[in-house]
Amino acid sequence: MSTQTDTISGWNREQMAKRAALDIPNGSYVNLGIGIPEKVAQYVPAGREVIYHTENGLLGMGIAPEPGQEDPELINAGKKPVTVIPGAAYFHHADSFAMIRGQHIDICVLGAMQVAENGDLANWSTGAPDAIPAVGGAMDLVAGVKTIYVITQHCTKSGEPKLVDTCSYPLTGQAVVSRIYTDLAVIDVTPEGFMVAELAPGIDFDHVQARTGAKLIPGQMLASVVNG
Amino acid sequence: MSTQTDTISGWNREQMAKRAALDIPNGSYVNLGIGIPEKVAQYVPAGREVIYHTENGLLGMGIAPEPGQEDPELINAGKKPVTVIPGAAYFHHADSFAMIRGQHIDICVLGAMQVAENGDLANWSTGAPDAIPAVGGAMDLVAGVKTIYVITQHCTKSGEPKLVDTCSYPLTGQAVVSRIYTDLAVIDVTPEGFMVAELAPGIDFDHVQARTGAKLIPGQMLASVVNG
Amino acid sequence: MTMIDKRIDSVTAVVADIFDGATVMVGGFGEAGSPIELIHALIDSGAKNLTVVNNNTGSGHVGLAALIENKQVGKMICSFPRTANSTVFPDLYRAGEIELELVPQGTLAERIRAGGSGVPAFYTATSVGTPLAEGKELRNFGGRDYVMEFGLKADFALIKCERADRYGNLVYNKTARNFGPIMAMAANITIAQTGAQVEVGAIDPEMVVTPGIFVDRIVTVAYPAQESKLVAAGRSYP
Amino acid sequence: MTMIDKRIDSVTAVVADIFDGATVMVGGFGEAGSPIELIHALIDSGAKNLTVVNNNTGSGHVGLAALIENKQVGKMICSFPRTANSTVFPDLYRAGEIELELVPQGTLAERIRAGGSGVPAFYTATSVGTPLAEGKELRNFGGRDYVMEFGLKADFALIKCERADRYGNLVYNKTARNFGPIMAMAANITIAQTGAQVEVGAIDPEMVVTPGIFVDRIVTVAYPAQESKLVAAGRSYP
């Protein structure tokens, strides 16, 4: 995570997760992807009750077990040991994906390789000819969950923009992403394109635009600053 | 059941059920239709363990409860009170019909209005314009269960043949019936047409042929009698 | 803490927003699993021109039969609209006052399960070559013909269960389970009447039949009426 | 009385008729629910040119990874053939020695459930607009595009459960349930390794997850190996 962009300023991984967590309403059924998205659960504001789904077959996933308390038959979609909360339920894979594909899960937070300004998401393959293709449940999640949030560094390690006009990598789904949380900004996918809803402290609009592969639109809360 | 045919001779309802029961192998999963088919369970020969499915959501259906022991939430597909055997299982309607439609049930025994010589079955509607159409699970059963047996009087109350060259009533399924147990005979549906496998005591081949709306073929066990 | 709590106090309140013209799935196979108190509350509410999905059309003059008799149902989607002890549906059907979509029972169950699972259409061998396949698309897979059927969704589902917690986790009683779990999946708003409420955690996670994600509202009816007893007593509703 | 009894004494006998070229569904998501003793028995049996359906391709050099490494698998149907701790599948795949059908995880589960339920094909929104929909039939329902997917069946399923009775009624343990119930439906012969056998009637009919109709053979493995421990210890099979 030592990109040039990061060293200038912006949110770190924990702060990105914390910012995303603010947008998880009370009572939501939520599926969190592997990596930074997993951290969102730690930061959901106090006073909200959220139920976590893991697609291998559990609703009501709890926190990681204490060391020594791991059960190899109680794991999450990342194959890590988890616990269950009171009121949890186990079910088989078809029922679990019916929750996803039948639009019963409210929010899914995922990582991304690229997001296009129309909401296209690429997060499963670079399309490199020697790569072993592996997709897991990513395509089911983006096609089926009501709201898709992405948490990602704004640029790749080599400084390439991940928010682009058109994805060059193979898609996971078309026009599926609603909002993106990066180290630099919170950006909504709108019919007009990427709209910047918030900037990380110390980051200005032009700084983000310079690191984005598509035109950014200032959101309402930013408009006065940018235009005024 | 007071047809002219019946008064001559042949098997009665209990005997028809008993004859059909001989053909239920040990270890079968069986679904029995309403009416005479239900009686088959009483006559499965001792020493065979058979598991009964009722499509409203129970595998391991037992006998009728003692009077006063009825549970309105423990019923069969005919909406009559039943019991469960040890080792029974409850499940929802889609899972129950997956057992039927996915070809997991071995044998289904049904009643019939008409059976055609190619195995077509009509048992749900006369097609009368003022009738209230009602099909239940009959079409699922005949399309999905591996082997379909029919138990029926050989003729209607008015003496019309129920075994015919072509069904005049709306079909329940095409080419689905394997074997028919009537008051007069046991008849197999073969690629060549209806083949008489057994005759009821005192009934001869010509008697059955005269009451059947399609050509009958004597089966192997009868061939010596008929041809010789 | 704002807890998730799907419990509602009254059957009146729990069905209050069922609107005219809504599609309503009603659980139960015959009386087993029939949410009779919810149906009677729907009669009280007066919502009209409903499309109702149920395997049957009710018995006597209570429950679903009473809802139909009260002229609140414009269309029934069911597999078996006849019963020995009710002429409510047949009379209205012959009079042209109610529409019928007749669906084989297993196709009905599969369509409901598909509707709740993101499957807009599927193929089945059931009904091929029969009048119920007329006008439907046929397609051959592996040498056998199948008919295309559509997933079925609803605005509301009214179901009955044995126990429920505040998350909406449900368990059922014996063969009263029937359509409950799949209707809960297929409806936008699922309303369950439960014989008992239990604490969160009281239902073993291995035993939950309908996970709470499929349930929106719970109302307790500790001593539900038994439809067959009402019918035998000649009762009618309202 | 000739009782129904699906119990078989040894893992060797229970997989003995798995033939060259068979399609074999193997339960488990990672190590949870993986029937490792059945897989090892299949390695001992030597059946070749198998098509294996599993979500993954195994870990280390035991279980499914060992079956692949032993060149018994001609084709994998799975959603995620990469693991941090195994290069068995990637090496063979790059060498062109094993075929891969990559299927999104939910589509894989739905295809298996369809295969066991008499549904030859269905439509899903998953993968539309992606390389995994290429060459597949697209169809619009209600303004949205869906791709047609086929039901998936198998000659055999190897699954793992917690308890079983002689009828083949099964219950599972926690998230080890995953693919077991649907693979049991989709296979011609379903073989379950169980942690314990119980008397018929010992499993509450309300709690049965896989009814015995879907299960053909049961073998007890009271103390199954834990795949991750074998991998951590650097073990390989055979």
Coordinates of all heavy atoms in Angstrom, one line a residue, chain C residues 110 113 119-123 137 139 141 146 148 150 172-174 177 206-207, chain D residues 110 113 119-123 137 139 141 146 148 150 172-174 177 206-207:
Chain C
E110 N -42.3 -25.0 -7.5 CA -41.0 -24.6 -8.2 C -41.0 -23.2 -8.7 O -40.0 -22.5 -8.6 CB -40.7 -25.6 -9.3 CG -39.3 -25.5 -9.9 CD -38.2 -26.0 -9.0 OE1 -38.5 -26.7 -8.0 OE2 -37.1 -25.6 -9.3
R113 N -40.4 -21.0 -5.6 CA -39.0 -21.1 -5.2 C -38.2 -20.3 -6.2 O -37.2 -19.6 -5.8 CB -38.6 -22.6 -5.1 CG -37.3 -22.8 -4.4 CD -36.3 -23.2 -5.5 NE -34.9 -23.2 -4.9 CZ -33.8 -22.9 -5.7 NH1 -34.0 -22.6 -6.9 NH2 -32.6 -22.9 -5.1
V119 N -34.5 -16.6 -10.2 CA -34.7 -17.4 -11.5 C -36.0 -16.9 -12.1 O -37.1 -17.2 -11.7 CB -34.7 -18.9 -11.2 CG1 -35.1 -19.7 -12.4 CG2 -33.4 -19.3 -10.6
P120 N -35.9 -16.2 -13.3 CA -37.1 -15.7 -13.9 C -37.9 -16.7 -14.7 O -39.1 -16.6 -14.9 CB -36.5 -14.6 -14.9 CG -35.2 -15.1 -15.2 CD -34.6 -15.7 -14.0
A121 N -37.2 -17.8 -15.1 CA -37.9 -18.9 -15.8 C -37.0 -20.1 -15.8 O -35.8 -20.1 -15.6 CB -38.1 -18.4 -17.3
F122 N -37.7 -21.3 -15.9 CA -37.0 -22.6 -15.9 C -37.8 -23.5 -16.8 O -39.0 -23.2 -17.2 CB -36.9 -23.1 -14.5 CG -38.2 -23.3 -13.8 CD1 -38.9 -24.5 -13.9 CD2 -38.8 -22.3 -13.1 CE1 -40.1 -24.7 -13.2 CE2 -40.0 -22.5 -12.4 CZ -40.7 -23.7 -12.5
Y123 N -37.3 -24.7 -17.0 CA -38.0 -25.7 -17.8 C -38.3 -26.9 -16.9 O -37.6 -27.3 -16.0 CB -37.1 -26.2 -19.0 CG -36.8 -25.0 -19.9 CD1 -35.8 -24.1 -19.8 CD2 -37.7 -24.8 -21.0 CE1 -35.5 -23.1 -20.7 CE2 -37.5 -23.8 -21.9 CZ -36.4 -22.9 -21.7 OH -36.2 -21.9 -22.6
E137 N -44.0 -22.3 -24.1 CA -42.9 -22.6 -25.0 C -42.4 -24.0 -24.6 O -42.1 -24.3 -23.5 CB -41.8 -21.5 -24.7 CG -40.5 -21.8 -25.6 CD -39.6 -20.6 -25.4 OE1 -40.0 -19.5 -25.3 OE2 -38.4 -20.9 -25.3
R139 N -39.4 -26.9 -25.3 CA -38.0 -27.0 -25.7 C -37.5 -28.4 -25.4 O -37.8 -28.9 -24.3 CB -37.2 -25.9 -25.0 CG -35.8 -25.8 -25.4 CD -35.3 -24.4 -25.2 NE -33.9 -24.3 -25.5 CZ -33.2 -23.2 -25.5 NH1 -33.8 -22.1 -25.4 NH2 -31.9 -23.2 -25.8
F141 N -34.5 -30.9 -24.4 CA -33.2 -31.0 -23.8 C -32.9 -32.5 -23.7 O -33.6 -33.2 -23.1 CB -33.1 -30.4 -22.4 CG -33.3 -28.9 -22.4 CD1 -34.5 -28.4 -22.1 CD2 -32.2 -28.0 -22.6 CE1 -34.7 -27.0 -22.0 CE2 -32.4 -26.7 -22.6 CZ -33.7 -26.1 -22.3
Y146 N -39.6 -30.3 -22.7 CA -39.9 -29.6 -21.5 C -40.6 -28.3 -21.8 O -40.5 -27.7 -22.9 CB -38.6 -29.2 -20.7 CG -37.8 -30.4 -20.3 CD1 -36.9 -31.1 -21.2 CD2 -37.9 -30.9 -19.0 CE1 -36.2 -32.2 -20.8 CE2 -37.2 -32.0 -18.6 CZ -36.3 -32.6 -19.5 OH -35.6 -33.7 -19.1
M148 N -41.5 -24.3 -20.7 CA -40.9 -23.2 -19.9 C -42.0 -22.6 -18.9 O -43.1 -22.3 -19.3 CB -40.4 -22.1 -20.8 CG -39.6 -21.0 -20.1 SD -38.8 -19.8 -21.1 CE -40.2 -18.7 -21.5
F150 N -42.5 -19.7 -15.6 CA -41.9 -18.4 -15.0 C -41.9 -18.5 -13.5 O -42.8 -19.0 -12.9 CB -42.8 -17.2 -15.5 CG -42.7 -17.0 -17.0 CD1 -43.8 -17.4 -17.8 CD2 -41.6 -16.4 -17.6 CE1 -43.8 -17.2 -19.1 CE2 -41.6 -16.2 -18.9 CZ -42.6 -16.6 -19.7
Y172 N -41.4 -24.7 11.7 CA -42.8 -25.0 11.4 C -43.2 -26.3 12.2 O -42.3 -26.9 12.9 CB -42.9 -25.3 9.9 CG -42.6 -24.0 9.1 CD1 -41.2 -23.8 8.8 CD2 -43.5 -23.1 8.7 CE1 -40.9 -22.6 8.0 CE2 -43.2 -22.0 8.0 CZ -41.9 -21.8 7.6 OH -41.5 -20.7 6.9
N173 N -44.4 -26.7 12.1 CA -44.9 -27.9 12.7 C -45.3 -29.0 11.7 O -46.3 -28.8 10.9 CB -46.1 -27.6 13.6 CG -46.6 -28.8 14.4 OD1 -45.8 -29.6 14.8 ND2 -47.9 -29.0 14.5
K174 N -44.6 -30.0 11.6 CA -44.9 -31.2 10.8 C -45.3 -30.8 9.4 O -44.5 -30.1 8.7 CB -46.1 -32.0 11.5 CG -45.8 -32.4 12.9 CD -46.9 -33.3 13.5 CE -46.6 -33.6 14.9 NZ -46.9 -32.5 15.9
R177 N -45.5 -27.3 7.4 CA -44.4 -26.5 6.8 C -44.7 -26.1 5.3 O -44.4 -25.0 4.9 CB -43.1 -27.4 6.8 CG -41.9 -26.6 6.4 CD -40.6 -27.5 6.3 NE -40.3 -28.1 7.6 CZ -39.1 -28.7 7.9 NH1 -38.1 -28.7 6.9 NH2 -38.8 -29.2 9.0
E206 N -28.9 -24.9 13.5 CA -29.0 -26.1 12.6 C -30.5 -26.4 12.3 O -30.8 -27.2 11.4 CB -28.4 -27.3 13.3 CG -27.0 -27.2 13.7 CD -26.0 -27.4 12.5 OE1 -26.4 -27.5 11.4 OE2 -24.8 -27.6 12.8
M207 N -31.4 -25.9 13.1 CA -32.8 -26.2 13.0 C -33.7 -25.2 12.3 O -34.9 -25.4 12.0 CB -33.4 -26.5 14.4 CG -33.3 -27.9 14.9 SD -34.5 -28.3 16.1 CE -36.0 -28.5 15.1
Chain D
E110 N -26.9 -23.6 -8.0 CA -28.2 -23.7 -8.6 C -28.3 -24.7 -9.6 O -29.3 -25.4 -9.8 CB -28.6 -22.3 -9.1 CG -30.0 -22.1 -9.6 CD -31.0 -22.1 -8.5 OE1 -30.6 -21.9 -7.3 OE2 -32.2 -22.3 -8.7
R113 N -28.6 -28.0 -7.8 CA -30.0 -28.2 -7.3 C -31.0 -28.4 -8.4 O -31.9 -29.3 -8.2 CB -30.3 -26.9 -6.5 CG -31.6 -27.0 -5.7 CD -32.7 -26.2 -6.4 NE -34.0 -26.5 -5.8 CZ -35.2 -26.5 -6.4 NH1 -35.2 -26.2 -7.7 NH2 -36.3 -26.8 -5.8
V119 N -35.0 -30.1 -13.3 CA -35.0 -28.9 -14.1 C -33.8 -28.9 -15.0 O -32.6 -28.8 -14.6 CB -34.9 -27.6 -13.2 CG1 -34.6 -26.4 -14.0 CG2 -36.1 -27.5 -12.3
P120 N -34.0 -29.1 -16.3 CA -32.8 -29.3 -17.3 C -32.1 -28.0 -17.5 O -30.9 -28.0 -17.9 CB -33.5 -29.8 -18.5 CG -34.9 -29.2 -18.5 CD -35.3 -29.2 -17.0
A121 N -32.8 -26.8 -17.4 CA -32.2 -25.5 -17.6 C -33.0 -24.4 -17.0 O -34.2 -24.6 -16.7 CB -32.1 -25.3 -19.1
F122 N -32.3 -23.3 -16.7 CA -32.9 -22.2 -16.0 C -32.2 -20.9 -16.4 O -31.1 -21.0 -17.0 CB -32.9 -22.3 -14.5 CG -31.6 -22.4 -13.9 CD1 -30.9 -21.3 -13.5 CD2 -30.9 -23.7 -13.8 CE1 -29.6 -21.4 -13.0 CE2 -29.6 -23.8 -13.2 CZ -29.0 -22.6 -12.8
Y123 N -32.7 -19.8 -16.1 CA -32.1 -18.5 -16.4 C -31.6 -17.8 -15.2 O -32.3 -17.9 -14.1 CB -33.1 -17.6 -17.2 CG -33.5 -18.2 -18.5 CD1 -34.5 -19.1 -18.7 CD2 -32.7 -17.9 -19.7 CE1 -34.8 -19.7 -19.9 CE2 -33.0 -18.5 -20.9 CZ -34.1 -19.3 -21.0 OH -34.4 -19.9 -22.2
E137 N -26.8 -18.7 -24.2 CA -28.0 -18.1 -24.7 C -28.4 -17.0 -23.7 O -28.6 -17.2 -22.5 CB -29.0 -19.1 -24.8 CG -30.3 -18.6 -25.3 CD -31.3 -19.7 -25.6 OE1 -30.9 -20.8 -26.1 OE2 -32.5 -19.5 -25.3
R139 N -31.4 -14.1 -22.7 CA -32.8 -13.9 -22.9 C -33.3 -12.8 -22.0 O -32.9 -12.7 -20.8 CB -33.5 -15.2 -22.7 CG -35.0 -15.1 -23.0 CD -35.5 -16.5 -23.3 NE -36.9 -16.5 -23.5 CZ -37.6 -17.5 -24.0 NH1 -37.0 -18.6 -24.4 NH2 -38.9 -17.4 -24.2
F141 N -36.1 -11.1 -19.8 CA -37.3 -11.2 -19.1 C -37.6 -9.9 -18.3 O -36.7 -9.5 -17.5 CB -37.3 -12.4 -18.0 CG -37.1 -13.7 -18.7 CD1 -35.8 -14.3 -18.8 CD2 -38.2 -14.4 -19.2 CE1 -35.7 -15.6 -19.3 CE2 -38.0 -15.7 -19.7 CZ -36.8 -16.3 -19.8
Y146 N -30.8 -12.2 -19.0 CA -30.4 -13.4 -18.2 C -29.7 -14.4 -19.1 O -30.0 -14.4 -20.3 CB -31.7 -14.1 -17.6 CG -32.4 -13.2 -16.6 CD1 -33.3 -12.3 -17.0 CD2 -32.2 -13.3 -15.2 CE1 -34.0 -11.5 -16.1 CE2 -32.8 -12.5 -14.3 CZ -33.8 -11.6 -14.7 OH -34.4 -10.8 -13.8
M148 N -28.9 -18.5 -19.9 CA -29.4 -19.8 -19.7 C -28.3 -20.8 -19.2 O -27.2 -20.8 -19.7 CB -30.0 -20.4 -20.9 CG -30.8 -21.7 -20.6 SD -31.7 -22.4 -22.1 CE -30.4 -23.1 -23.0
F150 N -27.5 -24.8 -17.5 CA -28.1 -26.2 -17.5 C -28.0 -26.8 -16.1 O -27.0 -26.6 -15.4 CB -27.3 -27.1 -18.5 CG -27.5 -26.6 -19.9 CD1 -26.5 -25.9 -20.6 CD2 -28.7 -26.9 -20.6 CE1 -26.6 -25.5 -21.9 CE2 -28.8 -26.5 -21.9 CZ -27.8 -25.8 -22.6
Y172 N -26.0 -32.3 9.2 CA -24.6 -31.8 9.0 C -24.1 -31.0 10.2 O -24.9 -30.8 11.1 CB -24.6 -31.0 7.7 CG -25.1 -31.7 6.5 CD1 -26.4 -31.8 6.2 CD2 -24.1 -32.3 5.6 CE1 -26.8 -32.5 5.1 CE2 -24.6 -33.0 4.5 CZ -25.9 -33.1 4.2 OH -26.3 -33.8 3.1
N173 N -22.9 -30.6 10.1 CA -22.3 -29.8 11.2 C -22.0 -28.4 10.7 O -21.1 -28.2 9.8 CB -21.0 -30.4 11.7 CG -20.4 -29.6 12.9 OD1 -21.2 -29.1 13.7 ND2 -19.1 -29.5 12.9
K174 N -22.7 -27.4 11.2 CA -22.4 -25.9 10.9 C -22.2 -25.7 9.4 O -23.0 -26.1 8.6 CB -21.2 -25.5 11.8 CG -21.3 -25.8 13.3 CD -20.2 -25.2 14.1 CE -20.3 -25.6 15.5 NZ -19.9 -27.0 15.8
R177 N -22.2 -28.0 6.0 CA -23.4 -28.4 5.3 C -23.2 -28.1 3.8 O -23.6 -28.9 3.0 CB -24.6 -27.7 5.8 CG -25.9 -28.2 5.2 CD -27.2 -27.4 5.7 NE -27.4 -27.4 7.1 CZ -28.5 -27.1 7.7 NH1 -29.6 -26.7 7.0 NH2 -28.7 -27.1 9.0
E206 N -38.2 -33.2 12.1 CA -38.2 -31.7 11.8 C -36.7 -31.3 11.5 O -36.5 -30.2 11.0 CB -38.7 -30.9 13.0 CG -40.1 -31.2 13.4 CD -41.2 -30.5 12.5 OE1 -40.8 -30.0 11.5 OE2 -42.3 -30.5 13.0
M207 N -35.7 -32.0 11.9 CA -34.3 -31.6 11.8 C -33.6 -32.3 10.7 O -32.4 -31.9 10.4 CB -33.6 -32.0 13.1 CG -33.7 -31.0 14.2 SD -32.3 -31.1 15.3 CE -30.9 -30.4 14.4

